[in-house]
Amino acid sequence: MDKLICIAGTNASGKSDLGIELAGRYGGRIISADSRQVYEGLDLGSGKVTPEEMRGVRHYLIDVAKPDEFFSLSHFQKLAYEAIDETIADGDMPFLVGGTGLYINAVVDGYDLSGAAPDMEIRRRVENASSEELIAIIRSSNPGVLARLDTDNKRRLERAAEKALAGELREDRNTPRYDCLIIGVTWPREELYERIRIRLDKRLSEGMIDEVADLRKSGVSDDFLYRLGLEYRYILMYLRGEFADYDSFYNKLYMEIRHLAKEQMTWFRKRRDINWVDMKSDPVGECIKLIDEFTL
């Protein structure tokens, strides 16, 4: 199989910069694996790298959908496959870089996906259900799938219950298309939290609140922004006056980003095939050694 290098990590872990550095060294291209960077206009809130930060490295899967447009995991996988295959055909090395674990797994593991549009009636039912009700729905459809789920993660339960009610919940059928080297980037927890705080302050100072306000003015729905979660959800709530003051908004958003980083690490830690590099030592050197051994 053709070779694919994946750089995975949490928010503010430095994975994008590391991916760009490595792609530049190896004559590679980057396929972004981020569920929000696919949308146009979601720049500061999704942490997109700027053209200057790309340093001439070609990026795929950024700005490929309009806000409010239906964009599924299946859409991402199809476009990612096309970008990877194009990169390989041109003699370059593909780097899949991102923090959305489901997107990474869909490509690395070769998920068998239907690509069907969601049933909005089922989705509303699921969103209004309690965790206990969701577990009951999944158990009645496929107990084996339930055994592999993190039942403390309501979003995962909602996704599985929605598939169960649509008759699509089945045992995983994967067909990997690439020989993958997965590199994970990590920091000690308190240092990661400080990096998250610094990054959040920077994006707020650059106009992240104005970005959300402008999206609303341009016609992007509040429902879409709310469902994006994190920055878009809490800035929306702040703009609607749902926080007592700015400090309440800031503290809530900061804590939720930290919580997501913890969830991301839990997701990635489930994979036994990730090669973890220490971002405090010589991550580029460690990655070069891994890549050179992988591509021999």
Side-chain angles (χ1 to χ4, degrees):
M1 293 187 288
D2 290 318
K3 294 183 182 295
L4 170 66
I5 297 166
C6 175
I7 311 292
T10 67
N11 280 335
S13 62
K15 60 186 177 296
S16 297
D17 288 343
L18 180 61
I20 290 168
E21 174 70 24
L22 293 170
R25 286 173 178 259
Y26 285 92
R29 304 177 190 177
I30 289 177
I31 297 85
S32 170
D34 187 290
S35 60
R36 300 185 301 173
Q37 292 185 5
V38 298
Y39 292 106
E40 295 178 0
L42 276 62
D43 301 330
L44 290 170
S46 69
K48 287 178 190 171
V49 292
T50 65
E52 293 75 23
E53 291 168 337
M54 291 179 184
R55 288 182 273 166
V57 174
R58 185 170 179 181
H59 282 61
Y60 294 88
L61 274 293
I62 293 178
D63 295 339
V64 294
K66 302 285 186 183
D68 280 318
E69 184 176 293
F70 172 62
F71 189 90
S72 69
L73 179 63
S74 178
H75 288 132
F76 170 80
Q77 184 194 56
K78 178 178 182 294
L79 292 176
Y81 281 163
E82 290 174 357
I84 293 167
D85 292 345
E86 178 181 306
T87 298
I88 293 169
D90 289 343
D92 290 340
M93 184 177 293
F95 287 80
L96 182 69
V97 180
T100 302
L102 191 61
Y103 276 22
I104 290 171
N105 288 359
V107 172
V108 169
D109 296 329
Y111 283 4
D112 177 21
L113 301 170
S114 69
D119 184 317
M120 297 314 296
E121 184 174 341
I122 289 177
R123 176 159 292 180
R124 283 190 292 270
R125 175 183 170 186
V126 164
E127 289 175 347
N128 292 326
S130 67
S131 293
E132 291 73 21
E133 290 169 330
L134 296 173
I135 289 171
I137 291 170
I138 300 165
R139 181 180 290 114
S140 65
S141 174
N142 193 324
V145 170
L146 179 63
R148 299 194 302 274
L149 280 176
D150 176 4
T151 55
D152 291 327
N153 189 318
K154 193 164 188 290
R155 283 178 293 183
R156 305 263 196 276
L157 290 175
E158 287 175 349
R159 189 178 298 118
E162 186 174 337
K163 288 184 178 180
L165 291 170
E168 297 177 355
L169 192 64
R170 59 182 184 271
E171 295 297 328
D172 293 337
R173 293 185 297 174
N174 300 336
T175 309
R177 294 179 53 161
Y178 310 104
D179 181 16
C180 298
L181 169 67
I182 310 176
I183 297 171
V185 300
T186 184
W187 293 83
R189 181 174 297 180
E190 292 307 316
E191 290 188 47
L192 177 62
Y193 289 167
E194 179 62 10
R195 289 176 60 87
I196 288 171
R197 185 191 64 76
I198 292 171
R199 185 170 183 251
L200 175 58
D201 289 348
K202 179 176 184 291
R203 290 192 291 166
L204 285 167
S205 69
E206 290 173 344
M208 189 161 59
I209 292 176
D210 290 338
E211 176 176 283
V212 178
D214 290 342
L215 286 166
R216 296 179 80 200
K217 289 176 184 176
S218 70
V220 176
S221 70
D222 283 4
D223 181 62
F224 172 78
L225 293 168
Y226 187 87
R227 284 188 285 107
L228 289 171
L230 286 186
E231 293 88 351
Y232 293 100
R233 173 177 297 180
Y234 293 106
I235 291 175
L236 170 67
M237 294 170 65
Y238 175 69
L239 292 172
R240 295 197 304 202
E242 297 178 28
F243 287 98
D245 51 36
Y246 179 86
D247 287 344
S248 299
F249 148 73
Y250 178 91
N251 291 333
K252 176 64 174 175
L253 177 54
Y254 173 55
M255 292 304 297
E256 288 299 322
I257 297 174
R258 285 177 44 162
H259 180 68
L260 175 64
K262 184 178 179 181
E263 281 189 356
Q264 288 174 312
M265 280 305 299
T266 299
W267 177 280
F268 292 133
R269 291 290 187 191
K270 290 179 180 178
R271 297 199 68 107
R272 302 299 182 186
D273 53 352
I274 294 183
N275 299 272
W276 293 99
V277 298
D278 183 359
M279 295 296 283
K280 293 187 66 179
S281 60
D282 179 20
V284 174
E286 288 184 50
C287 289
I288 288 173
K289 182 178 179 182
L290 289 167
I291 293 170
D292 286 349
E293 291 176 354
F294 175 66
T295 55
L296 282 177

